[in-house]
Amino acid sequence: MRDKIQRLNGKDVCKVGPDRGERRQGTQSGQQLSQTKSSAGARRRLCAPGSNSFPTPAGREDWRRPSATAGEARGRGPMARILVGLMAWWRPVVTILTPLVLSVIPALTGSSEARCGYVILIMAVYWITEAVPLAATALVPVFAFPLLGVLSTSSVCLVYMKDTNVMFMGGLIMAVAVEHCNLHKRIALFVMLHVGQSPRLLMAGFMITTTFLSMWISNTAAAAMIVPIVDAVVQELGKGQEVDVKRTRVVAVPLAEDAAVAPRHQSRLALYESNPSIAESVSTSDEATPRLDQKEAVSRVPELSVLTEADDTTSDAVRKMFFLSVAFAANIGGTGSPLGCGPNLVVMGILQSTFSEPTELNFATWMLFNVPGMILNMVLGWCWLQILYMFCGRNRIQTHSRERDRAMKKFLQEHYDSLGRITQHEIVVLVLFSTLVFLWVFRAPGFVTGWAQFFTDSFDEKVVVRDATPVMFMVFLLFCIPARTSWTCCSSGDKASETRDRHETCLTWEVVHAKVPWGVILLLGGGFAVAEAAKVSGLSLWLGHQLQYFAVMPKELIVFVVCLITAMLTEVASNTATASVLLPVIKDLALGINVNPLYLMLPAAVCCAYAFMLPVATPGNAIILTAARMNTLEMMRAGAVMNLVCVLVITFMINTLGVVIFDLHTMPAWVNSTVTVVR
């Protein structure tokens, strides 16, 4: 194997091809080939995504680990030893020094605005550096704001379970229901079967499926669901390439009795287990890879080596292209609906808590504005990855033959058929999910009277029905409706199994408790607490006056700069944390320069999802980096262009389609309405 890749202790050491002083041998003994295979197998086991020695940039915990240790610094000077010690203990140092250094802000003025800004700056530092876990930092307002006299404890705690946060929690539970019944696998295989089986069409199928799933569930969950399917397809493509190369060699070269070749790729037999882990789904252990018979090898080793190197390079390029397409689609798809990612709900929650009158931004208008931009970004990302991996560089992906396309279609069809008939569990989840989307869109669409208005007019109390109500109703039904019954047309026919599971519902609390990321809900609540405190303390009003100097700049330039800064900051911080820190400031900037707040807040919230460059930007990127076996520089090269393209697209969309939908050239009447909050 020509690609010699060793990843030891988080370091990548790559060696491609033979050394310059190495002589090519015309033949090689079976013992030497066996040694080569065993060493290559050890390297592949070492580099497997589930191993502990895989490069640490894929995780979010150890990427800032210092290269030098205390033992290496013993021979250095005292300053070097101090610096090494500080780097080894950087998290406690940042956690302790940040409040001490920033304490000068409330000490100088002592105003309510300064005390609120002091807490917000501490949380911003913790969120960006992750010296403290994100969810733990989100709990800081519960004790910091009351102790500093900014907001009472009851007022702070109320915002952690606002209706927007409850809606987000309901969306996460619906995503768990989709994964629990394996509906996402059926959707993905169905799309790929009908889109096409060439590399570019397979990539389009992956992007369409991931984008659609990411509209309704979190970006990380969407990426994690598609990764096992992508890995199985890549393995099957590599297997087909090796068969073609082997067939060519058999015709041209006589067989040898003393050689053996082990194919690198094998279709994933455990692809459709009920709940495979990410490490198991992308594992490449040699023990699971059957070896060809010894008589199927060839004797001309130099010719074999050259062809294998090209095939390995092509297979690696296909793997990187497919997995990057999933990463791009997961982040882009999160902008399509308010439920796609946290920043979307942050901007809606801030507008709802700041202005008493309803704004033009609701579920229907969000999708009406963002879905066209989402589709455009997906198409541009698809084209960019083709340019990067199919038209540029020396190792370009070749177009597959019709035979390979037919083999891939047969492979996908077999796995789709292995799912069997659609089950009652899947039908119930699909029907409830579709009903939920319908209720969200037509709750208050704006162009017609929504169904929620009927309940408002039916009671003297004039209750207001928001998006959290339908999602929680659907979640409740999932806990009540049985997953299997013997009288439906979708029953499996296994009477014993149906009798045993007749009391099992479509969703159980054990599954929800284990799979819902509860820390994300706390993170969203922490952002709402920051926005609430900034408004009550007067910090928002003070920032609005300070930012009035930006009124001399063209507003088109302002929105481009805001989007670019947001996209860069979200590469090194959580997207929800970025939105929680920036969106209140951007709202004050818009009010200070007399611009519709939606003109700056909406594109900034969308840009919080444009994290394409670094694996630490989102957990989904970290999963993709591990599964694709690429380094951070390769992800940065592809993601930098996508960042710029998406920022340009959202700037164009807000100045064209956004003006038509939201009438952004005029200040709306709801800007003058405010919500009164009691401390």
Side-chain angles (χ1 to χ4, degrees):
M1 201 63 67
R2 292 289 176 174
D3 281 343
K4 301 178 181 179
I5 302 177
Q6 294 182 344
R7 296 179 172 93
L8 298 174
N9 298 326
K11 300 179 181 178
D12 292 350
V13 180
C14 300
K15 180 181 177 182
V16 180
D19 295 334
R20 294 185 178 180
E22 180 181 349
R23 295 180 54 191
R24 292 179 176 266
Q25 301 295 332
T27 59
Q28 190 174 19
S29 65
Q31 181 179 3
Q32 290 172 325
L33 270 175
S34 177
Q35 293 175 354
T36 303
K37 290 188 300 177
S38 62
S39 61
R43 286 193 295 271
R44 287 198 298 271
R45 285 192 296 270
L46 182 62
C47 298
S51 66
N52 295 330
S53 298
F54 200 79
T56 53
R60 300 180 62 90
E61 297 297 330
D62 300 329
W63 70 286
R64 299 182 182 89
R65 182 182 297 170
S67 58
T69 62
E72 295 173 353
R74 289 175 182 173
R76 303 177 185 176
M79 289 300 299
R81 290 196 295 270
I82 293 175
L83 290 177
V84 170
L86 290 177
M87 290 299 294
W89 295 86
W90 70 270
R91 284 189 173 89
V93 170
V94 172
T95 304
I96 296 173
L97 288 184
T98 300
L100 295 179
V101 173
L102 296 178
S103 61
V104 66
I105 297 176
L108 290 177
T109 60
S111 61
S112 179
E113 297 90 336
R115 296 193 300 271
C116 179
Y118 170 66
V119 177
I120 293 176
L121 288 177
I122 292 175
M123 295 178 64
V125 173
Y126 288 169
W127 270 335
I128 293 174
T129 62
E130 296 189 29
V132 179
L134 297 177
T137 303
L139 296 175
V140 169
V142 178
F143 63 86
F145 286 144
L147 294 179
L148 293 177
V150 177
L151 208 59
S152 64
T153 302
S154 59
S155 300
V156 175
C157 293
L158 283 176
V159 299
Y160 280 86
M161 288 301 289
K162 291 178 59 174
D163 62 296
T164 306
N165 219 341
V166 174
M167 171 192 173
F168 184 57
M169 180 173 62
L172 293 176
I173 297 176
M174 290 297 298
V176 170
V178 171
E179 181 184 4
H180 184 53
C181 69
N182 286 330
L183 182 61
H184 64 287
K185 295 176 182 176
R186 189 178 296 275
I187 294 173
L189 290 171
F190 179 84
V191 171
M192 287 186 291
L193 277 172
H194 292 80
V195 169
Q197 286 74 45
S198 65
R200 56 169 52 92
L201 293 180
L202 282 173
M203 180 172 64
F206 290 137
M207 296 189 74
I208 292 172
T209 306
T210 309
T211 301
F212 175 76
L213 291 176
S214 186
M215 287 178 61
W216 313 108
I217 63 180
S218 69
N219 305 350
T220 304
M225 288 177 179
I226 300 299
V227 159
I229 303 175
V230 177
D231 186 71
V233 171
V234 172
Q235 300 291 342
E236 188 67 19
L237 284 174
K239 178 182 176 182
Q241 290 175 359
E242 289 177 355
V243 170
D244 287 350
V245 173
K246 183 188 70 174
R247 185 180 297 115
T248 302
R249 295 190 191 109
V250 169
V251 173
V253 184
L255 295 177
E257 298 288 340
D258 59 345
V261 179
R264 285 183 58 192
H265 303 291
Q266 175 72 14
S267 63
R268 303 287 106 180
L269 300 179
L271 175 62
Y272 296 110
E273 295 179 357
S274 58
N275 286 307
S277 64
I278 297 302
E280 293 173 349
S281 302
V282 297
S283 175
T284 54
S285 175
D286 282 355
E287 286 76 359
T289 305
R291 301 187 178 277
L292 298 179
D293 189 79
Q294 292 182 354
K295 295 183 180 181
E296 295 178 345
V298 297
S299 59
R300 298 182 62 181
V301 178
E303 196 169 339
L304 171 66
S305 299
V306 173
L307 290 174
T308 304
E309 181 179 354
D311 295 338
D312 290 343
T313 304
T314 302
S315 180
D316 289 341
V318 171
R319 170 177 288 273
K320 292 172 184 176
M321 183 179 74
F322 282 177
F323 278 108
L324 279 176
S325 69
V326 172
F328 290 175
N331 291 326
I332 292 172
T335 65
S337 75
L339 207 64
C341 60
N344 305 352
L345 296 176
V346 170
V347 65
M348 298 182 74
I350 291 176
L351 291 173
Q352 177 185 333
S353 61
T354 304
F355 306 106
S356 59
E357 295 183 7
T359 64
E360 290 91 349
L361 188 63
N362 53 44
F363 206 98
T365 55
W366 179 284
M367 294 189 64
L368 186 63
F369 170 73
N370 282 293
V371 169
M374 178 194 72
I375 296 175
L376 180 58
N377 285 330
M378 183 184 66
V379 173
L380 292 176
W382 180 66
C383 295
W384 163 237
L385 288 176
Q386 290 185 69
I387 293 173
L388 186 61
Y389 287 100
M390 302 186 73
F391 300 104
C392 295
R394 294 177 299 176
N395 302 318
R396 292 182 292 180
I397 299 174
Q398 302 297 326
T399 304
H400 277 206
S401 62
R402 293 184 178 180
E403 291 77 10
R404 290 179 179 175
D405 292 346
R406 284 195 293 267
M408 176 55 63
K409 185 173 183 178
K410 180 181 178 182
F411 170 78
L412 295 174
Q413 188 66 52
E414 289 176 353
H415 283 301
Y416 184 79
D417 294 340
S418 68
L419 296 176
R421 292 185 300 175
I422 186 169
T423 62
Q424 176 182 329
H425 193 178
E426 295 175 81
I427 291 177
V428 171
V429 173
L430 181 61
V431 170
L432 292 182
F433 192 85
S434 302
T435 305
L436 174 61
V437 173
F438 178 83
L439 293 176
W440 270 337
V441 172
F442 290 97
R443 180 186 65 84
F447 53 89
V448 294
T449 302
W451 59 266
Q453 190 63 36
F454 169 78
F455 295 94
T456 302
D457 298 337
S458 300
F459 303 99
D460 296 334
E461 290 78 6
K462 299 297 180 182
V463 296
V464 178
V465 180
R466 298 191 183 273
D467 292 324
T469 299
V471 67
M472 281 303 167
F473 180 55
M474 296 301 159
V475 167
F476 177 79
L477 291 180
L478 287 174
F479 284 103
C480 299
I481 300 177
R484 299 176 183 87
T485 53
S486 58
W487 49 268
T488 60
C489 61
C490 301
S491 60
S492 62
D494 187 356
K495 301 299 182 180
S497 176
E498 290 175 357
T499 303
R500 182 177 62 254
D501 300 332
R502 66 181 182 272
H503 298 299
E504 181 181 352
T505 57
C506 292
L507 200 60
T508 62
W509 183 252
E510 290 75 13
V511 174
V512 172
H513 177 73
K515 292 188 175 183
V516 170
W518 303 103
V520 180
I521 301 174
L522 291 178
L523 181 61
L524 194 64
F528 292 151
V530 167
E532 191 76 8
K535 180 184 66 176
V536 173
S537 65
L539 180 62
S540 296
L541 184 62
W542 180 84
L543 286 174
H545 290 301
Q546 303 302 315
L547 297 174
Q548 289 180 353
Y549 300 102
F550 287 94
V552 297
M553 297 175 58
K555 61 180 182 179
E556 294 80 8
L557 179 60
I558 294 177
V559 70
F560 175 76
V561 173
V562 166
C563 291
L564 189 62
I565 292 175
T566 305
M568 292 298 103
L569 183 58
T570 195
E571 294 290 349
V572 296
S574 165
N575 51 16
T576 305
T578 302
S580 301
V581 173
L582 289 184
L583 288 180
V585 179
I586 294 173
K587 178 202 68 178
D588 301 329
L589 170 63
L591 295 176
I593 62 177
N594 199 29
V595 171
N596 191 323
L598 291 178
Y599 183 71
L600 296 182
M601 295 181 70
L602 183 55
V606 171
C607 285
C608 289
Y610 295 157
F612 305 110
M613 292 175 57
L614 296 175
V616 298
T618 65
N621 287 5
I623 293 173
I624 295 302
L625 186 82
T626 302
R629 307 169 199 161
M630 67 174 67
N631 55 50
T632 305
L633 290 178
E634 290 176 302
M635 179 174 280
M636 290 180 64
R637 179 185 63 175
V641 176
M642 276 305 300
N643 265 25
L644 182 59
V645 167
C646 291
V647 168
L648 292 175
V649 168
I650 191 61
T651 304
F652 171 77
M653 296 297 294
I654 196 64
N655 285 287
T656 53
L657 184 61
V659 172
V660 175
I661 297 175
F662 301 108
D663 191 18
L664 298 176
H665 288 326
T666 60
M667 287 293 288
W670 49 264
V671 171
N672 299 321
S673 64
T674 57
V675 177
T676 304
V677 181
V678 180
R679 293 194 183 188

